[in-house]
Amino acid sequence: MTKLPKVIKLTRHAQQRLSERNTSNNIYNTKNLMKSSCKWYGKDDLIPESALYLHCLYVCRKSKQMGYITDGNVEVIYNKGTGVAITIMEVKEKFLPITQYIKPEYLKQIELKKEKKKMRKTNIGVCPDCGKEDVTITSQGICVKCRTRKSNAKNRNREYIPYINLPEEEKRKIDNMQVANTEAHNKKKKEETTNINVIDEIPIPNIPMIENYYEVKATQNPAIAHIVEKPIQVEQPKPVEVQKPTLRKFDPLSDQMSFIAILRECGCTISEESLKETLDVLVATDKLKDILMTVAKDENQDTILNLEHMLNVVEKKLQHNWEYNGFQEADDIKFKGFLTWRRILKGAIFFWKKLYQTNTIVEMKKAWDAYTADPNEKQLMAGDRINSIQKRFQITTESISTIFNTRKPFTRIFYATSKEEAYEKFLKWMSERQLHENKSKTTIVELTQEGEDGRERD
């Protein structure tokens, strides 16, 4: 006899397969398949070397991790470790009925259990504890009421005394209590059946009425209809409360069309669509300044690069958990939510990395600083070039993993004021990731706008 699992959960895939391949009227419990109203059979319940047994070994690939159960209508392949259904298939017609492949001794046990259960329901006789006749005798050999008294006495750590051995006063108390419980139960049941919500009668609107309706309907001639209109009661409109106008503070930036109209009056020939887009960009330039000031910081540059590395690591870990746990709904929501974030961040990180590599961010920051500086210094905007303090250094070496002792080629650009500072940033970056360099292959090259500086660090 197979030891069946207590819980088998269904993923969305398994629920879809169950709805597609369930051709019977059985109702399955989708939260826990083992609580469905059907009898499940496992691999050990099948006759060895029978057709269905060999089919079971085939679909499970002879794996100890995969389990097999069937109710004669569907076959469920599940993971024994996680208790999650992998897929659900329909039992083929050549295996029906499946009772021909079940061990005879197991079928006999099932029949005996059914007979015992049936006998318990139909066993009517005299209760030895209370002496009542024509009552249902439970498996304990007493009636239902005596069984309840015995169970209550056991739960309250009291001695159980049969009803016929109690004094008359105790019998009277028990009888009165049972009568009161029966009346309360009947009253509650009656209230549940009679307590029906009565829907209020909906008033019928005043519509024209045809006096000879049936004559018109019989002759199919609407021209002979005598229509009597009922007076329609018109409700008097309620007086409208006039609200006093509230004064609003005028914001000139919110009235873009008025500004465009002024430009038109003064001879502006730029198209309205281009003007709107350009004005939106120029008004939002102040917010762009805050973004540039934040992104231009050295620590934020390192944070963006580190975040790019972590996105790849987290994606692999979440995908592994999602597949290993049998595609659970919680893991599915977490993984797909992360992918949505990663899809947005990936493009933005690529954009900022390109700006870092071309030194555009530093130049834009210098230009904004020059604009917000003293008016006498704004002449730099006319054509004088602003040299950046930060320089780009490309460091190339062979990285060695401290944990796995693996060797990989390494190339990365660091922003610093000198080669020594770039080399310190490089060492810090490597140590945080438990890596170290092959000093014999380490080179540092300063990059410029036109090309690369030929100087290298030994």
Side-chain angles (χ1 to χ4, degrees):
M1 186 174 178
T2 304
K3 186 178 180 181
L4 299 175
K6 294 183 180 180
V7 178
I8 292 183
K9 298 179 180 179
L10 293 179
T11 60
R12 292 183 178 178
H13 167 79
Q15 291 181 10
Q16 184 180 359
R17 292 294 176 267
L18 181 62
S19 62
E20 292 174 354
R21 299 171 179 178
N22 178 23
T23 57
S24 68
N25 296 325
N26 294 342
I27 299 176
Y28 295 94
N29 190 324
T30 56
K31 293 183 178 179
N32 182 7
L33 199 62
M34 301 309 296
K35 290 187 178 181
S36 305
S37 57
C38 59
K39 180 63 181 176
W40 295 103
Y41 301 98
K43 183 180 71 173
D44 295 338
D45 299 330
L46 304 176
I47 300 174
E49 305 303 327
S50 62
L52 186 58
Y53 182 84
L54 298 176
H55 169 73
C56 171
L57 295 179
Y58 172 75
V59 296
C60 293
R61 303 298 189 268
K62 297 183 180 180
S63 173
K64 294 182 180 180
Q65 188 67 17
M66 298 173 65
Y68 173 92
I69 59 172
T70 179
D71 64 339
N73 177 41
V74 294
E75 297 174 317
V76 181
I77 312 300
Y78 66 96
N79 189 319
K80 292 182 179 180
T82 60
V84 177
I86 299 173
T87 187
I88 296 177
M89 304 178 293
E90 185 180 356
V91 177
K92 297 181 180 179
E93 293 183 1
K94 65 179 181 179
F95 296 130
L96 297 177
I98 64 166
T99 50
Q100 59 183 325
Y101 302 105
I102 306 300
K103 294 178 181 178
E105 57 270 21
Y106 182 47
L107 293 176
K108 189 178 291 185
Q109 290 180 11
I110 296 174
E111 292 297 328
L112 290 174
K113 286 183 179 180
K114 289 182 179 179
E115 291 180 1
K116 288 182 180 179
K117 191 174 182 181
K118 189 176 180 181
M119 289 177 63
R120 290 173 187 170
K121 292 183 178 179
T122 58
N123 191 7
I124 298 175
V126 180
C127 177
D129 283 11
C130 63
K132 293 182 180 179
E133 300 179 355
D134 297 333
V135 292
T136 302
I137 305 300
T138 63
S139 59
Q140 299 181 10
I142 54 179
C143 67
V144 177
K145 293 183 178 180
C146 292
R147 183 188 63 182
T148 304
R149 287 186 58 248
K150 189 174 182 178
S151 177
N152 292 339
K154 183 179 180 181
N155 294 333
R156 296 166 186 170
N157 295 325
R158 296 179 181 176
E159 181 185 0
Y160 170 71
I161 302 174
Y163 179 84
I164 57 177
N165 297 334
L166 293 173
E168 293 298 327
E169 185 177 355
E170 290 292 331
K171 290 181 179 179
R172 195 178 305 109
K173 288 182 180 179
I174 293 174
D175 293 340
N176 293 336
M177 191 180 300
Q178 291 178 353
V179 170
N181 291 337
T182 303
E183 290 179 354
H185 176 72
N186 294 337
K187 183 179 179 181
K188 184 178 179 181
K189 189 174 181 180
K190 185 177 180 181
E191 289 177 355
E192 290 177 354
T193 55
T194 57
N195 188 15
I196 302 174
N197 294 329
V198 179
I199 302 175
D200 296 336
E201 186 175 344
I202 302 173
I204 301 175
N206 293 327
I207 57 176
M209 185 179 68
I210 301 175
E211 288 185 339
N212 56 344
Y213 171 76
Y214 293 102
E215 183 181 356
V216 173
K217 187 175 181 180
T219 58
Q220 297 293 326
N221 185 10
I224 63 174
H226 300 288
I227 300 176
V228 179
E229 294 186 357
K230 291 185 178 181
I232 302 175
Q233 296 180 356
V234 180
E235 296 183 358
Q236 295 295 332
K238 296 181 179 180
V240 180
E241 296 181 0
V242 180
Q243 296 182 352
K244 295 181 179 180
T246 57
L247 296 177
R248 294 185 302 170
K249 187 177 180 181
F250 177 69
D251 184 8
L253 292 178
S254 63
D255 192 3
Q256 192 181 78
M257 296 304 299
S258 298
F259 180 72
I260 294 176
I262 294 173
L263 295 177
R264 294 280 188 206
E265 292 175 1
C266 297
C268 179
T269 58
I270 303 174
S271 65
E272 183 177 330
E273 184 178 356
S274 299
L275 271 176
K276 287 182 179 180
E277 294 178 352
T278 306
L279 289 175
D280 291 338
V281 171
L282 295 178
V283 171
T285 302
D286 190 62
K287 296 180 181 179
L288 178 62
K289 180 260 299 184
D290 296 334
I291 295 174
L292 289 173
M293 292 298 182
T294 304
V295 174
K297 296 179 181 178
D298 294 339
E299 57 269 21
N300 288 337
Q301 296 179 25
D302 295 337
T303 302
I304 289 176
L305 297 176
N306 294 339
L307 179 60
E308 182 184 24
H309 172 72
M310 283 305 303
L311 289 177
N312 297 328
V313 174
V314 174
E315 181 185 7
K316 293 178 181 178
K317 182 173 177 59
L318 291 178
Q319 184 175 4
H320 172 266
N321 295 340
W322 180 55
E323 296 174 351
Y324 181 78
N325 295 334
F327 308 99
Q328 292 292 324
E329 184 176 1
D331 296 328
D332 183 72
I333 293 173
K334 183 187 295 184
F335 182 44
K336 292 182 178 177
F338 171 79
L339 291 180
T340 303
W341 268 92
R342 183 182 180 276
R343 188 161 46 249
I344 297 173
L345 298 179
K346 187 177 179 181
I349 290 174
F350 178 80
F351 170 76
W352 289 112
K353 280 176 62 179
K354 287 296 181 183
L355 293 183
Y356 288 142
Q357 293 174 2
T358 57
N359 210 21
T360 305
I361 292 179
V362 178
E363 295 296 334
M364 293 175 68
K365 182 176 180 297
K366 288 296 181 181
W368 187 267
D369 290 340
Y371 175 75
T372 55
D374 187 75
N376 297 326
E377 298 179 2
K378 291 185 180 179
Q379 296 176 358
L380 293 173
M381 295 288 293
D384 294 343
R385 181 169 178 174
I386 302 173
N387 294 325
S388 173
I389 299 176
Q390 295 281 340
K391 301 177 182 179
R392 296 187 301 133
F393 295 93
Q394 178 177 306
I395 300 180
T396 305
T397 185
E398 183 182 48
S399 65
I400 305 172
S401 173
T402 308
I403 302 175
F404 304 105
N405 196 25
T406 56
R407 298 170 180 264
K408 292 183 179 180
F410 175 88
T411 300
R412 191 177 181 86
I413 296 174
F414 292 88
Y415 293 85
T417 56
S418 62
K419 288 186 177 182
E420 289 74 15
E421 184 181 350
Y423 185 65
E424 290 178 0
K425 287 186 176 182
F426 161 71
L427 293 178
K428 181 181 177 182
W429 192 90
M430 297 286 279
S431 63
E432 288 176 352
R433 289 156 181 78
Q434 297 185 348
L435 301 172
H436 60 276
E437 62 174 324
N438 184 356
K439 293 186 177 181
S440 62
K441 296 185 178 181
T442 301
T443 60
I444 302 178
V445 178
E446 181 180 349
L447 303 179
T448 61
Q449 292 289 347
E450 292 78 10
E452 298 182 354
D453 189 0
R455 300 176 185 176
E456 296 185 354
R457 180 189 183 280
D458 296 332

